[in-house]
């Protein structure tokens, strides 16, 4: 079957959307239908046609095809689901969308923040405020891209020979800091870097997971330090919550800290009509999705981004031998929440119980 790609969307007018508009543009609704379209073409249509910079990691095959349908969903959510079906993750840095292997992608933003702090310390805060646009054409080598980064920020990479020969497709990193530019390029080779004392010399080193970031939060509304500690630990098990006198110290990824901040200022602590419209009840929603070989858990996690609370009954799932990472094929049109969940969970032998905006997933008896 020939490759086809049908997109219905609004096109941004200004070149390379950056700053606050970058995030808001990714949240604009999109309707799209993909049939045997190459991943590279999908990313070029969904990103650059909205003037959003997208970088595809060299380890993700750009020629693999996808068949997918998005119905009036935010671009960020729809694209995240597409790449998740191919074992990748979408990460939005400040001005660039990066698509790469999940294991590395989930730590990219934290690595950038920690690198910017280190470069600021080493350079007496001269490097971090600098923002440049780094662009290259098709068939450019990564070493050439490093040379452009060196020239743009007046840096010197001491050992560029650690970057193997490769040829990359055309791309742009608009209005990025030196840490963001280096991170997006070097992560694709499992590399990181250190700065010399004067902050102008960079030494490439093997990738190492960045240290988590610390941030203090004060309970809001009716919440207490104890309740934030208990519920926060349950919601974000990978982050570390430590109770203090009047606040809670959270240590985790950038995304963890952002979600904790949003949770404490919205959701359960927000009441009354002034706080904006409540999420649409699940009983009133209809779901349209056509996807092949996508992890069941990836589909379920997307529901959380629409105001749904997902609860996994770990004991029941373990006892029943349920693997939510198992790949499933879904094809539903205007399905109710029960029909949608059945299509997702039946192949993995799990069931769901819906109560309000809470979905509890258990193993089949």
């Amino acid at each position: 079957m020939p490759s086809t790609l049908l997109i219905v969307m609004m096109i941004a007018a200004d070149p390379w959307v950056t700053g606050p508009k970058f995030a808001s543009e990714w949240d604009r609704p999109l309707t799209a239908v993909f049939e045997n379209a190459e991943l590279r073409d999908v990313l070029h249509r969904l990103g650059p046609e909205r003037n959003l910079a997208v970088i595809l990691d060299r380890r993700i095959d750009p020629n693999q095809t996808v068949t997918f349908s998005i119905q009036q969903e935010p671009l960020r959510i729809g694209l995240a689901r597409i790449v998740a079906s191919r074992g990748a993750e979408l990460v939005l840095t400040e001005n660039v969308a990066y698509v790469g292997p999940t294991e590395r992608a989930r730590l990219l933003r934290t690595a950038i923040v920690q690198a910017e702090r280190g470069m600021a310390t080493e350079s007496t805060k001269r490097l971090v405020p600098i923002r440049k646009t780094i662009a290259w054409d098709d068939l450019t080598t990564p070493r050439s891209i490093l040379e452009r980064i060196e020239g743009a920020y007046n840096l010197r990479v001491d050992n560029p020979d650690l970057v193997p020969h490769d040829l990359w497709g055309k791309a742009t990193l608009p209005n990025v800091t030196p840490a963001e530019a280096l991170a997006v390029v070097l992560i694709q080779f499992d590399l990181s870097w250190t700065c010399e004392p004067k902050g102008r010399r960079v030494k490439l080193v093997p990738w190492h997971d960045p240290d988590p970031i610390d941030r203090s939060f004060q309970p809001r509304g009716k919440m207490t330090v104890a309740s934030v500690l208990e519920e926060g630990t349950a919601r974000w098990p990978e982050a570390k919550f430590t109770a203090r006198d009047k606040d809670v110290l959270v240590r985790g990824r950038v995304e963890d800290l952002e979600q904790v901040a949003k949770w404490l200022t919205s959701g359960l602590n927000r009441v009354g009509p002034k706080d904006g419209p409540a999420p649409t009840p699940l009983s009133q929603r209809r779901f349209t999705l056509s996807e092949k070989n996508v992890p069941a858990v990836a589909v379920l996690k997307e529901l959380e981004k629409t105001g749904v609370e997902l609860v996994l009954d770990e004991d029941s799932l373990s006892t029943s031998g349920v693997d939510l990472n198992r790949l499933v094929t879904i094809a539903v049109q205007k399905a109710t929440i029960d029909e949608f969940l059945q299509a997702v969970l039946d192949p993995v032998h799990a069931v769901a119980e819906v109560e309000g905006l809470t979905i509890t997933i258990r193993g089949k008896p």
Side-chain angles (χ1 to χ4, degrees), residues 31-311:
T31 293
V33 177
F34 309 97
E35 294 183 3
N36 294 332
E38 289 191 355
L39 181 59
R40 178 189 0 239
D41 294 336
V42 172
L43 295 180
H44 277 295
R45 293 294 300 272
L46 293 183
E49 284 207 3
R50 284 194 173 188
N51 296 323
L52 300 168
V54 179
I55 299 295
L56 178 64
D57 191 290
R58 59 186 289 274
R59 292 166 289 191
I60 305 298
D61 180 10
N63 298 316
Q64 59 185 306
T65 60
V66 296
T67 296
F68 205 87
S69 174
I70 302 173
Q71 301 291 331
Q72 280 301 297
E73 282 186 295
L75 172 57
R76 170 179 52 82
I77 294 177
L79 184 55
R81 190 159 57 242
I82 293 174
V83 300
S85 69
R86 296 300 178 263
E89 186 164 330
L90 170 70
V91 175
L92 303 183
T93 67
E94 194 162 353
N95 294 317
V96 176
Y98 165 80
V99 176
T102 300
E103 181 181 3
R104 290 287 180 263
R106 64 190 305 275
L107 295 173
L108 175 61
R109 292 185 60 200
T110 302
I112 291 173
V113 170
Q114 294 290 31
E116 287 179 341
R117 290 180 177 179
M119 296 180 82
T121 299
E122 298 294 349
S123 61
T124 317
K125 299 187 178 180
R126 287 179 298 173
L127 277 177
V128 174
I130 299 176
R131 288 185 173 276
K132 300 286 186 177
T133 294
I134 309 297
W136 59 88
D137 294 322
D138 284 329
L139 304 181
T140 299
T141 66
R143 290 191 192 181
S144 297
I145 297 171
L146 280 182
E147 291 175 359
R148 299 184 188 194
I149 294 174
E150 287 179 300
Y153 302 106
N154 191 24
L155 295 173
R156 175 183 171 184
V157 178
D158 285 344
N159 52 344
D161 53 301
L162 286 186
V163 176
H165 176 74
D166 201 4
L167 295 175
W168 286 11
K170 179 179 180 180
T172 301
L173 307 177
N175 200 33
V176 292
T177 65
E180 190 173 359
L182 285 170
V184 169
V185 172
L186 295 178
I187 195 175
Q188 302 186 45
F189 297 99
D190 280 330
L191 291 173
S192 185
W193 75 93
T194 60
C195 288
E196 297 299 323
K198 293 184 180 181
R200 295 292 178 183
R201 297 182 65 178
V202 171
K203 181 179 180 180
L204 304 187
V205 297
W207 168 272
H208 58 278
D209 290 352
D211 292 333
I213 297 173
D214 294 334
R215 182 175 172 185
S216 296
F217 295 92
Q218 290 188 338
R220 301 293 184 92
K222 296 181 179 180
M223 302 195 79
T224 64
V225 169
S227 64
V228 171
L229 182 66
E230 179 181 1
E231 190 167 351
T233 300
R235 285 173 174 259
W236 295 278
E238 292 186 23
K240 181 179 180 181
F241 288 72
T242 303
R244 303 198 295 190
D245 184 20
K246 295 183 179 180
D247 60 17
V248 176
L249 180 68
V250 183
R251 182 175 175 82
R253 300 178 305 141
V254 170
E255 290 87 346
D256 297 330
L257 302 181
E258 289 177 345
Q259 291 171 12
V260 171
K262 184 177 180 180
W263 168 57
L264 291 175
T265 56
S266 61
L268 297 177
N269 296 302
R270 295 176 62 181
V271 296
K274 293 182 179 180
D275 295 319
T280 303
L282 286 169
S283 60
Q284 297 179 17
R285 302 187 193 184
R286 294 296 179 267
F287 300 83
T288 296
L289 178 63
S290 176
E291 176 57 27
K292 295 181 179 179
N293 297 326
V294 58
V297 70
V299 179
L300 296 172
K301 288 294 184 182
E302 290 302 323
L303 291 173
E304 290 186 308
K305 300 175 181 179
T306 65
V308 172
E309 181 177 4
L310 188 65
V311 178

